[in-house]
Amino acid sequence: MSLVISPEGDVQRFSTIEQAQYWLRKKWPVADEARHNALGRLEAAMDCLGSVGEARTAFLRAARTAGFVPQGRAEQLCAA
């Protein structure tokens, strides 16, 4: 998945669960409940105690609270 991470349109592609986990731990701009929940879901998926789908959903929810937008969605917003 690719997220627009800045007002200038910078895009970050997340292709592995480890990369998403690194960003949540080291580069995330907010420390809120959505981030905390996403970290838990990612760790559960890595330990085969939760689904990858649940982890992805939690990560996207955290991305929204951090102000990030999925790349395709950002393009739709600019076209409107």
Side-chain angles (χ1 to χ4, degrees):
M1 98 182 46
S2 297
L3 299 174
V4 178
I5 59 169
S6 75
E8 293 77 29
D10 296 322
V11 175
Q12 176 64 44
R13 177 159 171 73
F14 296 91
S15 57
T16 67
I17 200 166
E18 293 85 3
Q19 185 180 23
Q21 184 182 47
Y22 172 80
W23 264 74
L24 284 166
R25 287 189 172 165
K26 304 291 184 181
K27 295 190 169 201
W28 218 245
V30 295
D32 60 4
E33 184 62 29
R35 175 186 167 269
H36 178 74
N37 184 49
L39 277 168
R41 297 289 181 168
L42 286 171
E43 289 173 16
M46 291 172 76
D47 293 336
C48 298
L49 299 172
S51 76
V52 172
E54 290 173 347
R56 178 186 296 265
T57 299
F59 183 74
L60 284 172
R61 191 172 301 121
R64 282 194 295 275
T65 67
F68 300 156
V69 180
Q71 186 176 22
R73 180 74 178 133
E75 292 163 357
Q76 290 172 354
L77 292 173
C78 290

